[in-house]
Structures are given as structure tokens and as C-alpha cells.
Amino acid sequence: MHYLRVFILGLLGILFIGSPTTYAAANPGDGALSNVLTGKVTDKISKQPLPGATVYLPDLHVGAATDAQGNYIIKNLPKGKYVVDVHYIGYSAYSEIVTINGTATKDFELSETLIEKNEVVITGANLATSMKKTPTPINVIRRDYLTDNISTNIIDAISKVPGVSQLSTGPAISKPFIRGLGYNRVVVVGDGIRQEGQQWGDEHGIEIDDYNVSRIEVLKGPASLVYGSDALAGVVNIVPPPPLPLGKIKGNVEANYQSNNGLMAYHADIAGNTNGFSWGAFVTQKQAHDYKNKYDDYVFNSRFNNTNFGANIGINKQWGYSRLTFTSFNQHLGLVEGERDEQGRFIKPVNINGEAGEAPVTGGDNTSYSMEVPKQQINHQKIVWDNNLYLHNGGRLGLTLGYQLNQRREYGNVLQPNEPELYLKLKTFNYALKYYLPEMSGWQTTVGVNGMQQRNENKGDEFLIPAYDLFDIGGFAVTSKTFNKLTLSGGLRFDNRSLRSNALLLDADGKPSPDGDVRFASFSKNFSNISASVGLSYEASDRVVLKVNAARGFRAPNIAELSANGVHEGTIKYELGNQDLKPEVSTQVDAGIDFNTQHVSLTASLFYNHINNFIFARKLFNAAGTDSIPAENNEEGYAAFKYQQGTANLYGGELMLDIHPHPIDWLHFENTLSYVKGRLANGTDSTRYLPNIPAGRWLSELKGKFRKVGGPLQNAYIGVQMNMNFAQNNVFTAYNTETATGSYTLFNAGLGTDFVNRKSRTLFSLHFAVNNFTDVAYQNHLSRLKYAPVNEVTGRSGVYNIGRNFSVKLAIPIDFK
């Protein structure tokens, strides 16, 4: 592994220190410096200028703000075709492909409507492009959606997107599921690199701050071409705020309070751009006590707190850009066990004169913000260096390097509450080198190599997975071309992943010893595969776009699936790995249609996903028909689960219907349906169903949005939403692995507005919302807490989700002149 890393770094160094005539900046006479984009942004109906609108080129990380007359100018651009993204508060975002060669003039007209026009996407493509030209299904979630809705973490914030669900362990821990697949089958990208933080675990969330976000893109379906192994189900790309336009210094202060669990969140950020030198910084603090619902009252130990911060510096010049970003995510959270006494009260571990004991939870315990065992502490530090060099031939060279340190500690001993039992220390080095070829006969092509080197260490006294080293490398080529109304895109990739696990021997006291018993045997594994995709997007008319895409994806087994051997406290089970596992290989076909008129917007997509060697865990039984419970390392007697494989088939789709009758464009009646079904081939009875398949869901929202209200109010909105989750009875009940879940319907509502001064400058924004305002007691099918112990008083199994929850948010923008 070491020599491969040295080779890659050496190659990158050669590319950077190569002949200076390679770069556009080296020869001012080549015309690169004369490439300029200029124009005007106006209201489509009134034709009035829109001062302060942002015009941004995502591929180049450069943009500008319009002046008082709505004019803008962006200088020092490389020649080529680029997507331009235009934004203005209260207006629909708009994007369009613009050719840059010399001085290009492009005016934009924006509309006051909730429907986005040609939404720009960057996930899974070789270059930023408009959504209508992308054959793969993608949803874009902008910052204002996150602000309008109630959420407790970044994945909870996007869990209402069609086809997206969350596997949760309380309000602080959520994992993304896309069309019925999650864990290592979904790649989460943050700051341009894949997020690595022990994501194989049920109770391991996504360590990204939910306030340091400008937009989130969710790609549904295999995306292994650009991201390599693990992007089998799709990608969640969490995009941080872009650099500000030249000459701007802006800040923002936000606060949020939620009534159910007393959540208090505070966030502040500031950023600037002077002569191409950009910088920014943010800090977020969040804390919550236990949440409650109608059946359980307060759920003991569902509390959490976060303290996150970060900073970035960058430079944009005629030769390209370079940006350095640092983020630190720090979280403490309780782990809900759900144990109760004979009166149905939650119990907690206590220290009684130096002996471990139990006591019923009191009201004061539930509203405390201090942590109790069992608890978890996560620290995730990440530094990313992102670069883009403009080449003399019109191409570009991109280099991204990242380093992540993820430390996960679990505490469970009430006699030593500050001594971690499980302590996983994960170090990851990410690298990516891309060459964006000059456009040739309309073809836009990118070739590259990317991957990661990873090392995991055990620092605690409990051991769930072994220490290991991993090296991942993949080479790819992706291309696209538009033929009049038809856009063709596709590519090919080869991946290789090597994994070396270290042996661990323990003595009778559970301490590492060369003469002890084998807990983990050493082994080496090597996985390789080919990924490919091809897709078409056809603009049949101004109103109709047809899409079809076929893709082959690949996922290597993760370390837990191969070698886990221990109690996983957060999942309430004993896990056993299987070293005979083979890589998963997915073949998926997607087909979709987008239909837009003045009154109606319709988006529909269907998919079929065939997965060979699908990996899943099922509960073990012994010959007597009772739970198979390993005697070693399992003093608490948790049920044992072991990983196995089969052939899986998943199919389903999503439907979105938005009715926005003209001329009352402020009114929208939006409905979305999501459905997925997962089957195991050759299964009988319940074993034919895949575990963890979310129930079908119907979301219906009636919303009004008003650009101008009168007086100091602008950009107001009000809406009510119905969230109907259907029953999930197609479950893997064999061996008591999974249980069915009943249907439920939640009602949510929200309203908000900007308060402005006489010059229409926003002074502050205020948002009110309520989730589950009828206070329904429910269990989501993907909630891990539904498998907590039975309440002997009520006979109800497990713990229920959060009840009625009111939220108020205040945001104050600060514009420094």
C-alpha cells in the first residue's frame, strides 16, 4: 500500500510542477485572460433589475453579484461550455449552459415561482449540468427547504425526499436509505470527498453539520463511476456554501428552539472575498434533552449535544482556483436501551456504593442536558484541499486531497462513566485526480483516478471489529454529448480494494496478549470489479423530457460484515462476520418522465435493481429452536446476528405531482408517492423479503408563497403537510430478525417570512413550524428503537418516535460594506 501511495503522490507532484507553459496563466497572450461573462438579471414580468442576484459557475467556483442596475461581470474565465446558476431571494433558481470564448454576454430573467427552472446538478456527472439533461434521477434540496422544515440532524432534514428514508436510533442518529438500500451502499459526500466514519453501524450517524450547507443533491441509483465502491444505492452530496462574489463580506446568525426535547441550536458564520482571495468560518452549538411521545412519555437517554466548527481559505485567479477547508464535528449522545421496571418506568444504571445497580428514571432526569451511560462520543475532523488548474489547450486539471480522523467512543460502565469501552479510531486519506478534456466535437469527457487509504485502530477494552488497513483505487472515464434535443452520457470504471485485517488475541481478562485466545484472526482480502453506465435524456418537447439509464455498480464487503465478533451496544445485538462474503454487484435500470405546463408539473420514475451476492444479517437459532447466544464476550445475553448472502431484486418508483394553477402561481398543491419492494430469490415464507425495506409513503402539501406581503414583510410562506406511511407487512420475520410495522399519518404545518427595511434589505427571518401536531404515537419501520424491550405494563414492544414538536427559528443576515 505504501508504494502505491508514494506513486500517486509522485504523479500528482509531476503534474503540478510540470512545464509552466502547460497552464493558461503562463502565457497571457493566449487569450485566456480576455474571457469574460457579463450581462443583466431582471424580473421576467416587470423587466425590473434584480440587484444583489448571484451568478455562479459551479465548475469553476467563481461568481458575481449584480449591481443596483442588475448588471454583473465575471472575468478571467477559461474557454469552454459551463453551467451558470442564477439565484435571487424569493425567485426560482435558474441555470443555463453558456459558451465562454472571448467576451460572452448573457442576460437572465427570473420568475417568482416555486418551480425551479433547469435546476443545476453536480452529483454523478463529469461536469455541472441542468437536471433535464441528466438521465439519472436526482433531487436537489436547497438551504431554504432546510430552514422551513423541522429536523434534528442532516439526514433527518432530507428524509421526506421521494425515495429517501432514514434508519434512525433516536433523534440524533440517522442514516440515509435510498430506494430500500443503506449503510455502505450509500456514499455520503461532504466538502467534495466521501465521508468516512464507521458508516457500517446502525447507530453511527453522518458527522456533517446541518447548518454549514448550501444545498444537498440526492442521486438515486448506482453511481460507482465517479465514487467507486459503495455507491450502489446512490449518493448524498452535501454541498457547503460556495465562495462569495468579489468584494463581498457577509455573515449570518441563526437560532432554533424545539419544544419536544428542548432543543436549542445556535449558529454563526462569516465569509468574504477580496481580489479573488476568499475565506470563511462557522460555529454551531446544539443541545437537546430526552424527547417524548404519547405512549412512552419521555424516552430516557435520547439526549444529545453538538459543538461543530470550521474554516476555509481559497484563491481564484486566472490560472484556476485552490481552496483549503477544515471542519470539526463533535457530538455526545445517549444510547437508548429501553429497559423498564414492572411499573413501566424506564430504568437507568446507577453507582450504589461502588456497585453497579439500577433505579427508575425521574422527571428531572428526562429534562437534564447532561449525558448518562450508555453514551457515545464522536469527534470527526476533516481537512480538504481542492484545486482546479486551467490548461492552455482549454482543458482543466482537478486535484482533491483529503484527510479525515474519526474517533468513536462508547461508554457503558456506570462505575467508570468516563472510560470508553469501545474506542474506534479511523484515519482516512482521500485522493482524486481528474482531467477535464477540452470539448471535442461536442463531447465533454473526464478521465481520472480516485480512492482512499484507511487505517482503523481499537483503543478501548471492547472489540467489535479488528484493526485493519484498506487501500482503494479506481480509474474511470465519463463522457456526454447533446445532439439537438438528445443528451447521451455514460462511462466505464475499474476498481480495486485491498483489505488487511490484524489478528487480536485476548487473555482470560479480555486484555490483548500474544498467548491469548483468538478474537480476530488475521486475513487479507482483495476485491476488484468493473462498473459502467449509459443513459439518455430526450427533450421530446418544451414540456416533456424522457429519461432512461442503465448502470452496473459494485460494493466490496465492509470490515464488520467480514469480521465482526462482539456486542454492538447501540444495535442491541451480538454481531458475527463472515469472511466468505463476495462483493455485491448491482444492475439497475431507471426510466422517467418530466412533464411541465403552466398549471401542472409531473415527475415519475421507475426502477428495477438486481443485486448478486446481496449481504444481510439474520438472527441465529440453535438446534433447540432458541436464540443462539455466544457465551464468549456476551455477558448480557444479546441475540446473535450473522452476515450471509443471497440474490436480491428491488423495484419501485417515485411520483411527484405539483398543481400550481395560473395566474395564482403563489399556490402549490404538491403530492409525492414513494414505493420500493425488495425480494430475495429462492426465499420461502418471510425469507423471501429483504430486511429494512421502508414502507410506502404519500406526502401531500398545500403551500402558499408570497414574494411581497406589504409593509416590512417579504418572501412569506404558509403551508400544511400530510405524511402518510403505509403498513409494512412484507418483512423478514424468520428467526425474529424483523417485525411488521403498522400504518400511521402525521400532519405538519409551517409559516415564515423575511422582515425588511425600506430598501428591501432583509433585517431578519422568522420561521414557525410544528411536526405531528395531532400527537400521533407511531413507530417508523426503520427505527431501531422499535426493537427495544417490551413494556410489561402496556404490552407494547419497543420505543415510539417523537411526538408533537413545535419549532421557532430566527436568522439574521449581516452584510458588511
Side-chain angles (χ1 to χ4, degrees):
M1 295 184 189
H2 176 71
Y3 75 86
L4 280 173
R5 180 178 177 181
V6 172
F7 171 77
I8 291 169
L9 292 176
L11 175 63
L12 299 179
I14 291 172
L15 288 169
F16 265 179
I17 65 176
S19 172
T21 59
T22 302
Y23 307 119
N27 185 8
D30 64 11
L33 302 185
S34 62
N35 293 323
V36 174
L37 177 63
T38 185
K40 191 170 186 176
V41 181
T42 59
D43 183 289
K44 186 174 183 177
I45 297 177
S46 69
K47 309 301 179 182
Q48 293 297 309
L50 299 179
T54 59
V55 182
Y56 185 66
L57 283 71
D59 286 320
L60 306 180
H61 289 200
V62 65
T66 57
D67 61 19
Q69 289 73 44
N71 298 313
Y72 73 92
I73 184 169
I74 308 175
K75 301 178 180 179
N76 298 330
L77 299 175
K79 182 173 66 175
K81 288 185 178 180
Y82 302 97
V83 167
V84 181
D85 200 16
V86 187
H87 291 266
Y88 188 70
I89 296 176
Y91 284 73
S92 170
Y94 183 84
S95 68
E96 187 173 331
I97 296 177
V98 175
T99 299
I100 307 295
N101 189 3
T103 299
T105 301
K106 182 62 184 176
D107 296 333
F108 298 97
E109 294 181 335
L110 302 186
S111 302
E112 295 185 39
T113 173
L114 290 176
I115 299 298
E116 301 296 346
K117 304 295 184 182
N118 300 335
E119 181 77 88
V120 65
V121 296
I122 60 177
T123 304
N126 56 336
L127 295 169
T129 186
S130 64
M131 187 178 292
K132 66 168 57 177
K133 295 183 181 297
T134 304
T136 52
I138 297 179
N139 287 92
V140 177
I141 303 96
R142 293 194 176 273
R143 179 70 221 180
D144 55 356
Y145 173 89
L146 304 180
T147 301
D148 294 351
N149 290 271
I150 301 177
S151 62
T152 54
N153 61 72
I154 190 67
I155 301 304
D156 183 39
I158 65 171
S159 61
K160 295 178 184 177
V161 171
V164 178
S165 306
Q166 59 173 327
L167 184 141
S168 63
T169 311
I173 306 173
S174 296
K175 302 180 69 64
F177 267 56
I178 298 177
R179 291 176 165 177
L181 299 175
Y183 300 101
N184 285 79
R185 299 180 184 96
V186 174
V187 166
V188 176
V189 176
D191 297 304
I193 65 172
R194 56 186 292 162
Q195 188 83 359
E196 289 293 318
Q198 314 284 4
Q199 59 265 38
W200 46 265
D202 282 312
E203 87 292 11
H204 300 168
I206 305 300
E207 295 90 18
I208 294 180
D209 186 85
D210 51 345
Y211 282 86
N212 186 43
V213 176
S214 66
R215 56 189 277 136
I216 302 173
E217 296 182 1
V218 180
L219 186 153
K220 292 175 282 191
S224 299
L225 286 184
V226 178
Y227 302 99
S229 174
D230 301 351
L232 202 69
V235 177
V236 177
N237 186 8
I238 302 171
V239 183
L244 289 180
L246 283 171
K248 296 290 184 178
I249 300 178
K250 291 186 176 182
N252 186 54
V253 178
E254 297 182 53
N256 177 213
Y257 174 77
Q258 296 180 20
S259 64
N260 186 284
N261 58 355
L263 183 145
M264 294 182 287
Y266 310 95
H267 171 84
D269 60 67
I270 188 170
N273 189 336
T274 305
N275 296 323
F277 176 76
S278 60
W279 53 271
F282 77 92
V283 60
T284 301
Q285 205 285 325
K286 184 189 298 184
Q287 62 177 347
H289 57 63
D290 297 340
Y291 78 85
K292 62 181 178 180
N293 61 62
K294 186 165 59 175
Y295 286 167
D296 300 309
D297 197 33
Y298 284 101
V299 177
F300 177 67
N301 218 22
S302 57
R303 64 200 65 180
F304 63 94
N305 65 67
N306 294 27
T307 302
N308 312 323
F309 56 90
N312 65 79
I313 56 173
I315 187 168
N316 279 76
K317 294 295 183 180
Q318 63 269 22
W319 48 263
Y321 68 81
S322 181
R323 193 180 192 192
L324 188 67
T325 302
F326 171 78
T327 58
S328 180
F329 181 95
N330 307 278
Q331 184 180 63
H332 295 80
L333 54 97
L335 296 174
V336 178
E337 292 190 320
E339 297 281 354
R340 310 179 206 234
D341 61 16
E342 64 278 0
Q343 298 180 37
R345 299 174 299 182
F346 286 105
I347 57 176
K348 62 177 182 178
V350 293
N351 185 339
I352 305 175
N353 299 323
E355 298 289 336
E358 296 177 341
V361 173
T362 65
D365 293 326
N366 294 126
T367 55
S368 171
Y369 290 89
S370 61
M371 290 294 111
E372 301 276 356
V373 295
K375 60 184 179 180
Q376 193 177 112
Q377 177 183 342
I378 301 101
N379 302 98
H380 191 110
Q381 281 77 44
K382 179 170 61 177
I383 186 167
V384 179
W385 185 34
D386 186 30
N387 306 272
N388 205 322
L389 298 179
Y390 307 154
L391 306 183
H392 175 73
N393 62 0
R396 291 185 293 125
L397 188 67
L399 169 68
T400 304
L401 301 176
Y403 175 77
Q404 301 176 71
L405 174 60
N406 182 277
Q407 300 181 83
R408 186 177 302 275
R409 304 173 180 91
E410 293 185 1
Y411 305 83
N413 187 350
V414 70
L415 302 181
Q416 295 177 307
N418 297 315
E419 292 295 324
E421 297 177 325
L422 183 70
Y423 184 177
L424 302 175
K425 188 175 183 179
L426 181 67
K427 302 175 183 177
T428 304
F429 169 73
N430 303 85
Y431 64 90
L433 177 65
K434 298 180 182 179
Y435 176 42
Y436 303 89
L437 279 71
E439 182 178 317
M440 294 179 289
S441 302
W443 289 98
Q444 293 183 313
T445 304
T446 302
V447 297
V449 57
N450 59 6
M452 62 181 175
Q453 181 178 355
Q454 193 170 81
R455 169 168 291 182
N456 186 77
E457 302 174 74
N458 285 310
K459 296 292 186 179
D461 297 326
E462 290 186 355
F463 307 95
L464 176 59
I465 60 172
Y468 69 89
D469 291 276
L470 177 149
F471 186 80
D472 190 65
I473 186 169
F476 65 91
V478 291
T479 189
S480 65
K481 181 178 180 177
T482 298
F483 304 85
N484 194 11
K485 295 184 177 182
L486 177 69
T487 299
L488 170 67
S489 62
L492 192 67
R493 179 186 180 98
F494 176 78
D495 276 289
N496 181 266
R497 172 172 290 183
S498 58
L499 177 67
R500 182 175 60 84
S501 173
N502 299 335
L504 178 64
L505 284 72
L506 301 178
D507 61 21
D509 296 324
K511 303 296 183 182
S513 170
D515 300 321
D517 295 328
V518 176
R519 178 65 174 275
F520 300 112
S522 64
F523 66 87
S524 295
K525 294 285 184 179
N526 194 70
F527 306 103
S528 60
N529 216 300
I530 293 176
S531 303
S533 77
V534 60
L536 297 171
S537 176
Y538 177 61
E539 297 180 46
S541 69
D542 292 338
R543 296 181 175 182
V544 179
V545 179
L546 304 175
K547 300 181 180 184
V548 63
N549 190 74
R552 170 189 165 99
F554 152 73
R555 184 182 81 88
N558 63 48
I559 188 65
E561 293 166 339
L562 290 167
S563 59
N565 185 9
V567 173
H568 204 174
E569 296 281 356
T571 62
I572 323 175
K573 63 187 181 184
Y574 191 102
E575 296 185 1
L576 291 167
N578 182 352
Q579 293 185 23
D580 295 327
L581 296 177
K582 300 176 182 179
E584 295 179 342
V585 178
S586 165
T587 303
Q588 178 164 319
V589 177
D590 287 274
I593 181 173
D594 291 341
F595 174 76
N596 288 282
T597 71
Q598 193 175 26
H599 306 286
V600 175
S601 296
L602 172 70
T603 299
S605 59
L606 298 172
F607 73 93
Y608 172 73
N609 192 1
H610 177 82
I611 305 177
N612 290 322
N613 303 319
F614 182 82
I615 301 170
F616 64 100
R618 73 162 178 85
K619 187 182 287 187
L620 295 178
F621 266 49
N622 61 22
T626 58
D627 286 354
S628 175
I629 301 174
E632 306 85 9
N633 321 309
N634 194 10
E635 296 178 357
E636 299 181 37
Y638 287 133
F641 286 72
K642 186 171 183 177
Y643 291 99
Q644 62 181 35
Q645 293 187 289
T647 299
N649 296 289
L650 297 98
Y651 54 91
E654 299 87 38
L655 174 70
M656 188 280 287
L657 175 65
D658 189 332
I659 302 172
H660 43 91
H662 187 75
I664 50 175
D665 292 331
W666 53 267
L667 179 65
H668 283 254
F669 182 45
E670 183 176 301
N671 294 268
T672 62
L673 286 170
S674 304
Y675 179 80
V676 58
K677 195 165 189 176
R679 294 290 188 100
L680 278 168
N682 303 320
T684 59
D685 298 326
S686 75
T687 60
R688 68 183 184 271
Y689 299 118
L690 288 182
N692 292 326
I693 297 297
R697 184 178 63 197
W698 173 24
L699 281 173
S700 183
E701 182 175 31
L702 184 65
K703 188 171 187 178
K705 191 170 184 179
F706 312 91
R707 164 72 177 150
K708 296 180 180 179
V709 181
L713 305 183
Q714 285 188 8
N715 304 319
Y717 68 89
I718 185 170
V720 62
Q721 181 187 76
M722 179 194 72
N723 181 356
M724 178 183 292
N725 285 253
F726 302 106
Q728 179 56 288
N729 297 313
N730 298 328
V731 296
F732 195 108
T733 58
Y735 321 108
N736 293 323
T737 298
E738 190 179 26
T739 61
T741 307
S743 63
Y744 60 89
T745 301
L746 308 179
F747 291 95
N748 312 314
L751 60 91
T753 188
D754 294 337
F755 289 80
V756 300
N757 61 15
R758 293 183 178 179
K759 297 182 178 180
S760 294
R761 184 181 298 276
T762 301
L763 302 175
F764 63 92
S765 301
L766 197 58
H767 307 267
F768 298 95
V770 55
N771 275 3
N772 190 10
F773 61 72
T774 56
D775 201 23
V776 172
Y778 71 99
Q779 289 179 324
N780 185 275
H781 185 65
L782 296 188
S783 171
R784 296 300 308 166
L785 298 184
K786 72 193 280 279
Y787 298 102
V790 173
N791 183 338
E792 298 296 342
V793 174
T794 65
R796 300 188 183 103
S797 296
V799 171
Y800 284 71
N801 289 77
I802 192 168
R804 183 188 296 117
N805 190 18
F806 291 93
S807 170
V808 57
K809 295 180 183 178
L810 173 67
I812 305 174
I814 304 173
D815 194 349
F816 298 91
K817 293 185 178 181

